Amino acid sequence: MRTPNRHTSFARRLLTLLSFIVSSLPLLANQPAEDAFIGERERMVERTIVARGVEDEGVLAAMRAVLRHEFVPVAARAQAYGDFPLPIGFGQTISQPFIVALMTEAAAVTPNDHVLEVGTGSGYQAAVLAELVERVDSIEIIGALAERARNDLERLGYDNVTVHHGDGYFGLEQEAPFDAILVTAAPDHIPQPLVRQLKVGGRMVIPVGPVGSYQTLWRLVRVSEEQVQLENLGGVRFVPFIRDTR
Ligand code: SAH
């Protein structure tokens, strides 16, 4: 065996160091400011999402990928990764991360899916879905929120999401049918137009119950043209479903 002399081993170390620096350059160059939150996002996923039973690897990857702090008011960024809803203006909230993960997992999406979200709010849930599927349409009843979410999603590069302004009770007839529908405000009954806009085999995840109280989160599967199957996913608390366009 040949023992390298001091010069060769120095040259080798130098080469290793140089190649390390060169390979790190693109990383350093792209180092975005949001990196400050990578650790917080990881903790959010492990402590509040995995710990509470969400297992789908795709969903967990999406929750790790989406910059949640970009969807909350600047003043609330430090709390963006806590497991609670946060105010986003207009009396509305961004849902807590665990609920977003739970609903996304329950929607059982696959990459070619076309999904409708009712209640865009901040645009965060739409971004999580956009990480997983080909196409997302999201509808929001408050014009100013629709406008802001549209801008934020565009700024963050989510070009597979379209934000619409209107009453999501009626779904989006012109874009239907959907493989999955997520409703993120709570009506007191399941809107029939939404059921009709699901493909056979399509899934809907929706909180239903009285205003200002706890609701039940339902997973509905349209098993045939006429039949749906319902599964109770537990008690939740969502903002009310609004019915008049403003
Ligand atoms: N998915 C959102 C959560 C927002 S809270 C997020 O990730 O941030 C629920 C949203 O539903 C609110 O913005 C509210 O204005 C909206 N909403 C309530 N009723 C609605 C309706 N009938 N049609 C569309 N959006 C509605």
Side-chain angles (χ1 to χ4, degrees), residues 88 92-95 117-125 139-142 145 166-169 184-185 239-243:
I88 54 170
Q92 304 305 326
T93 55
I94 175 174
S95 308
E117 178 197 23
V118 176
T120 317
S122 66
Y124 176 70
Q125 171 75 76
I139 181 163
E140 168 58 53
I141 201 165
I142 299 177
L145 281 177
D167 184 351
Y169 186 91
T184 68
V239 294
F241 200 85
I242 306 166
R243 288 306 313 280

Side-chain angles (χ1 to χ4, degrees), residues 121-157:
S122 66
Y124 176 70
Q125 171 75 76
V128 170
L129 288 166
E131 295 278 345
L132 296 166
V133 303
E134 197 168 292
R135 192 169 157 219
V136 179
D137 280 289
S138 184
I139 181 163
E140 168 58 53
I141 201 165
I142 299 177
L145 281 177
E147 177 74 21
R148 191 176 66 195
R150 188 179 294 128
N151 290 338
D152 285 341
L153 287 161
E154 193 188 316
R155 175 173 58 84
L156 295 165

